[in-house]
Amino acid sequence: MASLNTVRNQRVYVNTSARSWTCQHSIDPVIKTFHRSLPGYAPTPLTSLKSIAEQLGVKHVLMKDESHRFDLKAFKILGASWGAYRALAQRLGLPLTVSIRELGLAARIADIKLFAATDGNHGRAVARMAKYLDLEAHIVVPSIMDKVSQERIASEGALIEVVEGDYDLAVKIADQEAAVSGGLLIQDTAWPGYDEIPRWIVDGYSTMLQEIDKQVLEIAGKPADLVVFPVGVGSLAQAVITHYKNPALLTALLAVEADTAACLLASLENGAMTSVSTGDTIMCGLNCGTISSIAWPMLRDGIDATATVTDVEAHHAVCHLQSLGSSVGPCGAAPLAALEN
């Protein structure tokens, strides 16, 4: 059973059937071993927001602070690095024991370049992995992306291509250019005919979720009752669902979208994948108009509720977290905005 409600300015979709929905999923221990081999890997902190817990009337509100992930201030490198590593190893016929140095050398001999489209941190993550491998990276971005974000991607040594269009168009162009050049597209969204690499990217996020499980137990003494997370194309959401909807946990899940790019909400309302036109938003990483095709079935069945937040609400959440000593961007603050509203 599902229902759509409006709470203040939020549109909230509730799926009561998700409470008992489960999925079976196992985590390959090789993934965490791989991440530990990356320069500067360390678990990011789980911060206790005591004043917010008191405000909401709950015992704990815990925030995974990905501003400490390497020096990229985003979790995306966990998926992009594993996805690129798996894809290159498969293309080159190398085992998953191959080192990054050896993999990069083989890829250079084969003249393979990495391609990706991005509206946020994924492109920089792919560029960083290309840097580790000493490969060229070609990152396609929509014209709406701010100059600072573009410069951060370029600082990793990537070539930036700006297209006059939205994120969905950038993905199409990156795919076409990778095909023409014989390069490798490392994209975190899937569509018919392109789903293997996005699955590996989703798998890469499992390292962060394992970190969270350990940290929650250390702080609260029990697993989380509710996990709130932002949604763009849905790859992180897919990882969260497969992790927390296993029969041993059955954690409640709340997904949060930018109100200007609520493709998940539109899809849930229509009962089928639905693309939406996107507008400008400070939540750049959530500014996606189409849900990943492999994520959609999981999101449809496994999310307990979905809410939208406005730029104003996200900005207020950013400021609130800053007052508590946490430097988190609008995408990372969106879940708090949803809880507070």
Side-chain angles (χ1 to χ4, degrees):
M1 180 179 177
S3 62
L4 178 66
N5 305 291
T6 300
V7 181
R8 298 186 185 178
N9 293 323
Q10 287 181 333
R11 295 168 69 199
V12 180
Y13 183 95
V14 178
N15 178 14
T16 56
S17 300
R19 197 70 189 99
S20 59
W21 184 85
T22 63
C23 66
Q24 297 287 348
H25 181 70
S26 60
I27 299 171
D28 187 342
V30 172
I31 300 172
K32 194 168 186 178
T33 300
F34 164 76
H35 284 140
R36 285 174 172 163
S37 75
L38 297 178
Y41 168 77
T44 53
L46 190 71
T47 303
S48 180
L49 304 175
K50 294 181 180 178
S51 62
I52 294 175
E54 291 174 1
Q55 170 192 333
L56 297 175
V58 297
K59 193 167 184 180
H60 297 284
V61 172
L62 307 174
M63 180 187 70
K64 186 65 167 169
D65 190 348
E66 287 298 295
S67 67
H68 296 269
R69 184 68 67 187
F70 298 94
D71 57 347
L72 296 173
K73 298 187 175 182
F75 68 90
K76 291 285 189 174
I77 185 64
L78 296 175
S81 61
W82 178 246
Y85 177 84
R86 282 294 311 262
L88 282 168
Q90 183 183 78
R91 169 80 69 92
L92 296 165
L94 296 172
L96 295 184
T97 53
V98 65
S99 69
I100 290 177
R101 185 187 64 80
E102 293 168 330
L103 184 63
L105 176 60
R108 289 194 299 278
I109 292 171
D111 195 26
I112 298 174
K113 301 178 180 65
L114 301 186
F115 287 77
T118 190
D119 58 359
N121 292 308
H122 175 71
R124 188 179 182 190
V126 172
R128 172 61 65 89
M129 186 58 183
K131 192 181 206 179
Y132 289 155
L133 293 159
D134 196 17
L135 298 179
E136 292 183 36
H138 187 121
I139 310 298
V140 183
V141 305
S143 56
I144 201 170
M145 175 181 276
D146 63 273
K147 294 295 184 183
V148 172
S149 296
Q150 293 181 37
E151 289 167 1
R152 286 173 180 159
I153 297 170
S155 73
E156 304 295 339
L159 172 67
I160 306 294
E161 179 182 354
V162 181
V163 299
E164 292 300 324
D166 60 10
Y167 169 79
D168 287 356
L169 178 62
V171 171
K172 291 178 183 177
I173 290 175
D175 181 36
Q176 292 167 358
E177 293 181 348
V180 168
S181 70
L184 199 53
L185 180 70
I186 308 298
Q187 201 57 51
D188 57 350
T189 188
W191 55 88
Y194 182 82
D195 58 19
E196 191 168 40
I197 292 173
R199 288 185 194 279
W200 291 332
I201 290 173
V202 169
D203 289 343
Y205 299 147
S206 64
T207 293
M208 177 178 66
L209 300 173
Q210 291 177 81
E211 292 174 5
I212 291 172
D213 287 348
K214 182 175 183 292
Q215 293 164 326
V216 168
L217 285 174
E218 290 171 350
I219 295 171
K222 61 187 286 280
D225 298 306
L226 170 69
V227 174
V228 189
F229 51 94
V231 174
V233 295
S235 292
L236 172 63
Q238 181 181 350
V240 169
I241 292 167
T242 56
H243 187 82
Y244 286 106
K245 284 297 183 178
N246 77 66
L249 290 174
L250 280 179
T251 306
L253 302 177
L254 170 61
V256 182
E257 293 185 284
D259 66 336
T260 56
C263 54
L264 172 58
L265 184 61
S267 299
L268 291 170
E269 290 174 359
N270 294 330
M273 278 184 61
T274 303
S275 296
V276 300
S277 297
T278 59
D280 195 6
T281 174
I282 62 172
M283 294 170 277
C284 299
L286 309 187
N287 198 19
C288 308
T290 304
I291 288 291
S292 171
S293 62
I294 59 171
W296 164 240
M298 311 293 290
L299 275 61
R300 178 195 62 209
D301 298 335
I303 290 178
D304 295 271
T306 302
T308 62
V309 296
T310 67
D311 277 5
V312 171
E313 291 164 345
H315 176 69
H316 285 165
V318 168
C319 294
H320 191 171
L321 289 168
Q322 285 178 343
S323 73
L324 299 175
S326 294
S327 178
V328 177
C331 295
L336 175 60
L339 284 177
E340 292 189 317
N341 287 282

